[in-house]
């Protein structure tokens, strides 16, 4: 789900950073109070969109089963969703850069409405697969990140982006719980209907509250002439100093854990011996941890440490998490490991997004955020195959050992290199 990305996933913008922070107040006419209100609205839109997504995630296996789809077919359904999000991320980012954040958020919310409408009339397997199509433009999280990058100075960005994790936590906790209650009490399609109505309301919120132009006018000229679907434009961003290195760290540092999370529903049954209800509690525990870490911890750290230090710290903690997972035997061990795991995941996502959006011109931040948002769907697309082989052939500990090896290598590389290039504190 785009969100998990999210995982929360992704952030901001600027090559012309000095110029932009000066012009924010004047050229777009948004005062400090107004900017704060727009950012709060972006948080609200994200929290609602993620809540609706997690609501349908919970009932989807039951809906698929009721239509006669087996576990392999359900895997294909999930992969279809992942591939569509993977393809759509960078395109959505380019769209946001060219037509503005408001248009992009409206597109995302409207796509969500179409997604829930098609799902609500899915009475056959082909219709269920067809209902995944709007997912290509369902990118509320990168949309909100784009709002934040346009309206914050480089020094405020990591903190403001980190707080999006709160929205993700709220989405997991409320969405999972509400989806379960509504489907049990009133029927399997009720969470889908709620998602449809909610997405339409979200679309109206975006139309009413997000200003036409959030970023300074001077930032718009660079991308106006180029094509939304241009692969060359997307690859051009990777050539900016330090971008490719940080992006590779972003992709590979959390990949083994990402594979583990994709296999988690099977691992929780086979390895931990949990019932569905207990797995739900564990997901809520994760949601609460993420809210605490992203809402309270990351903001404070970004004010006192440089981004280079925080990048190294998150990779180092990821290595320790790998060692812990390799030795893990019970679900209680996992609950302990979850604390540094959520910290490293959240910190890495926030810091890399912040670094990457500062490394490119501010007219390209949407595209950069779209590329960042594709990391999650990429893991979800290749994950079931690679994760399945690892689990079947080598067991649960293999995810931990792989995590340890990858992050030790990345940590050594970070100590020897000058990545990221600018040694700036986030405040």
């Amino acid at each position: 789900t785009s969100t998990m990305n999210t995982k929360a996933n992704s952030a901001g913008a600027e090559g012309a950073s000095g110029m932009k922070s000066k012009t924010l107040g004047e050229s777009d006419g948004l005062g400090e109070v107004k900017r704060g209100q727009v950012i709060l609205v972006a948080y609200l839109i994200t929290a609602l969109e993620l809540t609706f997504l997690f609501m349908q995630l919970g009932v989807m296996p039951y809906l698929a089963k009721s239509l006669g789809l087996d576990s392999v077919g359900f895997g294909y359904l999930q992969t279809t969703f992942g591939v569509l999000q993977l393809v759509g991320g960078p395109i959505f980012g380019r769209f946001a850069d060219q037509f503005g954040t408001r248009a992009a958020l409206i597109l995302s919310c409207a796509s969500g409405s179409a997604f829930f409408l098609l799902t609500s009339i899915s009475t056959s397997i082909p219709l269920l697969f067809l209902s995944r199509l709007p997912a290509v433009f369902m990118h509320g999280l990168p949309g909100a990140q784009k709002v934040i990058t346009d309206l914050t100075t480089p020094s405020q960005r990591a903190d403001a982006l980190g707080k999006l994790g709160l929205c993700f936590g709220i989405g997991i906790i409320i969405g999972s719980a509400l989806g379960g209650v509504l489907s049990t009490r009133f029927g399997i399609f009720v969470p889908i209907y709620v998602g449809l109505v909610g997405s339409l309301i979200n679309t109206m919120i975006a139309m009413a509250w997000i200003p036409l132009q959030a970023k300074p006018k001077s930032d718009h000229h660079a991308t106006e002439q180029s094509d939304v679907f241009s692969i060359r434009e997307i690859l051009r961003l990777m050539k900016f100093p330090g971008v490719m290195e940080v992006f590779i760290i972003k992709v590979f540092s959390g990949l083994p854990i990402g594979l583990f999370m994709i296999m988690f529903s099977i691992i929780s049954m086979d390895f931990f011996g949990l019932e569905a209800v207990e797995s739900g509690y564990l997901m809520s525990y994760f949601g609460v941890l993420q809210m605490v870490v992203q809402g309270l911890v990351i903001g404070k750290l970004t004010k006192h440490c440089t981004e280079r230090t925080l990048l190294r710290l998150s990779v180092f903690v990821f290595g320790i998490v790998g060692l812990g997972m390799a030795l893990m035997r019970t679900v209680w061990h996992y609950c302990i490991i979850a604390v540094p795991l959520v910290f490293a995941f959240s910190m890495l996502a926030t810091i890399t997004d912040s670094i990457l959006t500062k490394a490119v011109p501010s007219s390209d931040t949407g595209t950069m955020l779209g590329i960042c948002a594709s990391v999650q769907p990429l893991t979800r697309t290749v994950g079931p195959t690679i994760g399945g082989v690892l689990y079947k052939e080598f067991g649960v500990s293999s995810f931990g050992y792989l995590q340890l090896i990858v992050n030790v290598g990345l940590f050594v590389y970070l100590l020897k290199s000058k990545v990221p290039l600018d040694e700036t504190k986030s405040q």
Side-chain angles (χ1 to χ4, degrees):
T1 319
S2 105
T3 64
M4 284 177 142
N5 298 67
T6 236
K7 259 153 233 83
N9 333 199
S10 299
E14 114 192 36
S17 54
M19 177 197 76
K20 180 166 172 191
S21 43
K22 282 187 208 119
T23 55
L24 264 172
E26 301 128 30
S27 64
D28 60 357
L30 284 178
E32 198 61 46
V33 176
K34 175 73 171 162
R35 281 212 298 279
Q37 285 174 350
V38 173
I39 289 172
L40 281 175
V41 170
Y43 288 148
L44 174 66
I45 290 171
T46 310
L48 288 172
E49 184 166 303
L50 290 169
T51 300
F52 304 141
L53 260 174
F54 279 106
M55 265 168 54
Q56 70 86 34
L57 259 182
V59 298
M60 199 44 65
Y62 303 100
L63 177 58
K65 197 175 177 182
S66 72
L67 295 175
L69 202 62
D70 61 8
S71 58
V72 176
F74 186 65
Y76 290 142
L77 188 72
Q78 298 292 73
T79 302
T80 305
F81 189 87
V83 169
L84 286 167
Q85 290 247 293
L86 178 64
V87 171
I91 297 170
F92 179 84
R94 296 274 302 136
F95 180 90
D97 280 336
Q98 292 207 0
F99 300 102
T101 314
R102 182 174 182 265
L105 270 177
I106 291 169
L107 174 67
S108 175
C109 296
S111 300
S113 305
F115 173 84
F116 283 109
L117 177 65
L118 289 170
T119 307
S120 71
I121 56 169
S122 293
T123 49
S124 66
I125 292 171
L127 270 175
L128 192 62
F129 273 88
L130 185 68
S131 73
R132 308 294 97 178
L133 268 181
V136 76
F137 292 124
M138 284 167 60
H139 293 280
L141 197 60
Q145 288 169 332
K146 174 91 174 108
V147 172
I148 290 164
T149 39
D150 285 351
L151 296 180
T152 54
T153 59
S155 61
Q156 300 166 327
R157 187 163 309 151
D159 183 22
L161 285 166
K163 287 192 170 64
L164 269 175
L166 276 170
C167 305
F168 196 81
I170 290 165
I172 289 182
I173 295 164
I174 298 177
S176 306
L178 204 57
V181 170
L182 290 174
S183 59
T184 310
R185 291 248 179 114
F186 306 107
I188 206 162
F189 279 104
V190 172
I192 312 293
Y193 298 142
V194 173
L196 171 57
V197 174
S199 296
L200 288 168
I201 292 169
N202 237 0
T203 310
M204 288 187 268
I205 293 172
M207 290 168 94
W209 283 90
I210 303 295
L212 262 176
Q213 185 162 300
K215 82 163 67 166
K217 287 187 176 70
S218 55
D219 287 350
H220 274 286
H221 64 87
T223 46
E224 223 124 86
Q225 304 308 317
S226 48
D227 179 17
V228 173
F229 295 91
S230 168
I231 299 290
R232 194 174 71 243
E233 279 294 306
I234 291 166
L235 292 176
R236 175 181 64 84
L237 297 187
M238 288 294 166
K239 293 177 183 162
F240 281 94
V243 169
M244 183 62 90
E245 293 90 329
V246 174
F247 188 73
I248 287 170
I249 291 164
K250 183 180 184 65
V251 172
F252 287 102
S253 184
L255 184 62
I257 294 281
L259 299 177
F260 172 83
M261 297 306 281
I262 283 163
M263 299 303 296
F264 186 70
S265 55
I266 293 170
I267 291 168
S268 66
M269 273 191 310
D270 295 355
F271 188 74
F272 294 136
L274 299 183
E275 299 291 326
V277 178
E278 295 165 325
S279 290
Y281 291 149
L282 207 53
M283 284 302 286
S284 296
Y285 169 62
F286 254 84
V288 171
L289 275 182
Q290 185 152 13
M291 284 171 72
V292 171
V293 168
Q294 295 216 239
L296 303 173
V297 180
I298 289 181
K300 284 191 171 60
L301 283 175
T302 55
K303 288 173 186 170
H304 300 295
C305 307
T306 63
E307 291 188 330
R308 185 184 295 170
T309 304
L310 293 176
L311 185 63
R312 288 173 178 174
L313 176 66
S314 53
V315 170
F316 179 73
V317 173
F318 252 152
I320 293 170
V321 167
L323 182 61
M325 285 187 66
L327 304 173
M328 164 179 80
R329 292 292 171 267
T330 70
V331 73
W332 298 111
H333 292 165
Y334 183 60
C335 286
I336 295 165
I337 293 164
V339 178
L341 189 156
V342 169
F343 169 79
F345 233 131
S346 304
M347 180 61 82
L348 186 85
T350 304
I351 292 301
T352 51
D353 285 348
S354 182
I355 292 167
L356 289 169
T357 50
K358 289 176 193 173
V360 298
S362 56
S363 55
D364 289 316
T365 52
T367 311
M368 194 70 246
L369 285 167
I371 295 168
C372 290
S374 297
V375 174
Q376 205 69 36
L378 176 65
T379 309
R380 275 206 307 278
T381 306
V382 301
T385 313
I386 302 171
V389 170
L390 274 176
Y391 180 55
K392 201 171 171 187
E393 300 297 324
F394 305 106
V396 171
S397 60
S398 62
F399 295 101
Y401 286 122
L402 189 61
Q403 180 75 15
L404 177 64
I405 292 162
V406 167
N407 282 281
V408 165
L410 289 175
F411 186 67
V412 170
Y413 169 74
L414 278 173
L415 286 179
K416 292 188 171 182
S417 75
K418 289 272 190 288
V419 174
L421 301 172
D422 59 329
E423 183 72 8
T424 56
K425 282 190 186 177
S426 283
Q427 191 134 320

